[in-house]
């Protein structure tokens, strides 16, 4: 049986890149970070609980990926560049096959994102994974939820709703064909945080949020914190490739309120459309304009011809659903 310290050493302690922003990593009482001059630290925590955020039989390497991905997505939504993360793990047992798969998935994304594991805590208990990420963003350039202005365009990256479709397949709410599952499942299991896009949008976008609980609910946070409303063209919202083949009603519901998309929703002045498109090209991430922020409070949904729609939507809330 592995001791706690052997476990950390074998699966989580790795040499750091010399000359980086990490002055001290795993092994002491604290890690030490050295953010670049003129930068603010951006910090965010997300917890993943078995049975709530993932199925007990989930692919373990994907779980390692997703645990970090959902945290990097928060940095992306602030326009912050990833620096480091900590990992608090509660594990039922020191299962080496599990640890190898989990740390493999975790470090593949960490390396790809330039984000080093610098510390954490390990304890025996029910499976629970809590990651805190640290990023940096130039002073006064963070993309805050409160910064949207009336007249701003509303944009989303990528496509929405395929993660929710895959969840419906897993829960047997729907029977999906093989192609649909092949297209949709990676969106649920291995979301790609939009870090490059968030950074490219610094100084261009006003407000941003990552779409984790469903577009309407998350856009609602921008509306609330900015003190304004929004009108969204429901048919302009890009649905994922598998969801596109579903009936219109489901397509709308899952793309507007599905959850687990980890795309960015952001606002920018209409005068910055070319700059937004250039940032999207630089980040190799497609973006779509889906509506406008306006001074009338509340969210208005309309179809392509401008006709108002009333849809029964609620975004995902852990205490009500
Ligand atoms: P302390 O008791 O001082 O908090 P620990 O004995 O818990 O320290 O941890 C020893 C070192 O290992 C610390 O640097 C801590 O950050 C690191 N560590 C513990 N668990 C993990 C983990 N799951 N991943 C990465 N580092 C970890
Ligand atoms: Mg400790």
């Amino acid at each position: 049986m592995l001791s706690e310290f052997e476990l950390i050493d074998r699966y989580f302690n790795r040499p750091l890149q010399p000359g980086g922003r990490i002055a001290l990593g795993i092994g002491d009482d604290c890690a030490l970070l050295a953010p670049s001059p003129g930068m603010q630290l951006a910090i965010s925590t997300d917890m993943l609980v078995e049975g709530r955020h993932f199925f007990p039989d989930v692919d373990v390497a994907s779980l390692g990926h997703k645990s970090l991905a959902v945290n990097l997505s928060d940095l992306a939504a602030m326009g912050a560049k990833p620096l480091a993360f900590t990992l608090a793990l509660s594990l039922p047992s020191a299962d080496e096959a599990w640890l190898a798969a989990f740390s493999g998935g975790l470090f593949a994304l960490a390396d790809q994102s330039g984000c080093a594991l610098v510390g954490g805590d390990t304890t025996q208990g029910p499976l629970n994974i809590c990651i805190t990420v640290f990023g940096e963003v130039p002073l006064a350039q963070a993309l805050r939820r409160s910064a949207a202005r009336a007249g701003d365009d509303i944009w989303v990256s990528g496509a929405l709703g395929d993660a929710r479709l895959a969840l419906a397949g897993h829960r047997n709410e729907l029977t999906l064909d093989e192609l649909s599952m092949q297209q949709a499942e990676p969106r649920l299991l291995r979301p790609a945080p939009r870090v490059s896009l968030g950074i490219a949008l610094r100084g261009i976008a006003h407000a941003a949020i990552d779409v984790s609980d469903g577009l309407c609910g998350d856009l609602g946070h921008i509306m609330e914190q900015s003190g304004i409303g929004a009108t969204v063209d429901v048919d302009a919202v890009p649905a994922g490739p598998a969801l596109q083949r579903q009936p219109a009603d489901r397509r709308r519901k899952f793309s507007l309120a599905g959850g687990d998309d980890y795309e960015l929703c952001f606002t920018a002045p209409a005068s910055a459309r070319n700059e937004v498109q250039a940032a999207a090209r630089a980040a190799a991430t497609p973006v779509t304009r889906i509506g406008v922020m306006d001074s009338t409070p509340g969210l208005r949904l309309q179809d392509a011809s401008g006709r108002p729609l009333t849809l029964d939507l609620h975004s995902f809330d852990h205490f009500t659903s």
Side-chain angles (χ1 to χ4, degrees):
M1 188 71 173
L2 283 181
S3 78
E4 179 188 334
F5 299 106
E6 286 167 338
L7 184 162
I8 295 164
D9 253 358
R10 195 168 302 172
Y11 293 102
F12 297 113
N13 197 358
R14 301 189 323 161
L16 292 173
Q17 294 276 41
R21 298 266 142 225
I22 318 301
L24 185 64
I26 291 174
D28 212 314
D29 296 308
C30 288
L32 298 173
L33 305 186
S36 320
M39 295 287 204
Q40 281 182 322
L41 271 184
I43 302 166
S44 180
T45 297
D46 260 309
M47 183 154 58
L48 280 85
V49 176
E50 186 176 51
R52 190 70 212 180
H53 302 94
F54 57 91
F55 295 104
D57 64 348
V58 69
D59 171 63
V60 178
S62 298
L63 181 61
H65 172 102
K66 186 165 179 176
S67 303
L68 181 59
V70 301
N71 279 279
L72 292 174
S73 180
D74 286 317
L75 290 183
M78 293 303 274
K81 179 170 174 270
L83 289 178
F85 68 105
T86 60
L87 168 67
L89 257 186
S90 163
L91 294 171
S93 67
D95 174 342
E96 294 210 49
W98 191 96
L99 284 160
F102 179 83
S103 59
L106 180 80
F107 281 123
L109 180 61
D111 292 346
Q112 191 191 315
S113 316
C115 195
L117 177 59
V118 296
D121 198 24
T122 308
T123 174
Q124 199 264 326
L127 183 57
N128 191 325
I129 303 150
C130 183
I131 286 181
T132 300
V133 278
F134 303 83
E136 61 179 16
V137 60
L139 212 61
Q141 282 198 34
L143 307 173
R144 298 176 58 168
R145 296 178 181 183
S146 57
R149 297 185 207 148
D152 277 1
D153 292 326
I154 304 168
W155 299 78
V156 291
S157 65
L160 302 175
D162 267 4
R164 179 65 182 82
L165 189 66
L167 182 66
H170 276 288
R171 283 183 179 159
N172 292 320
E173 291 168 18
L174 291 173
T175 309
L176 297 179
D177 59 70
E178 206 172 312
L179 174 65
S180 294
M181 214 49 192
Q182 265 172 23
Q183 290 175 323
E185 203 173 32
R187 293 306 307 267
L188 179 66
L189 298 183
R190 288 182 171 259
R194 300 300 195 180
V195 171
S196 313
L197 180 64
I199 294 170
L201 287 171
R202 287 177 188 163
I204 301 170
H206 283 159
I209 190 167
D210 66 318
V211 181
S212 53
D213 296 334
L215 175 66
C216 287
D218 288 322
L219 176 59
H221 295 306
I222 290 184
M223 289 164 28
E224 211 172 285
Q225 294 200 22
S226 299
I228 52 179
T231 302
V232 168
D233 173 358
V234 166
D235 295 321
V237 176
L243 186 56
Q244 278 175 26
R245 294 192 298 274
Q246 294 285 322
D249 183 54
R250 184 171 302 139
R251 208 164 61 221
R252 284 175 171 168
K253 279 195 176 152
F254 283 10
S255 57
L256 290 169
D260 255 356
D261 298 299
Y262 301 101
E263 294 293 352
L264 296 187
C265 172
F266 59 96
T267 82
S271 58
R273 281 179 195 168
N274 289 338
E275 287 171 88
V276 169
Q277 294 287 5
R281 274 195 303 279
T285 308
V287 295
T288 308
R289 196 153 47 82
I290 60 163
V292 287
M293 302 300 297
D294 36 48
S295 50
T296 318
L299 175 64
R300 286 156 295 284
L301 300 176
Q302 58 186 42
D303 68 12
S305 67
R307 213 176 27 202
L309 287 173
T310 29
L311 297 175
D312 176 26
L313 301 167
H314 56 244
S315 76
F316 192 81
D317 179 323
H318 284 279
F319 293 98
T320 59
S321 46

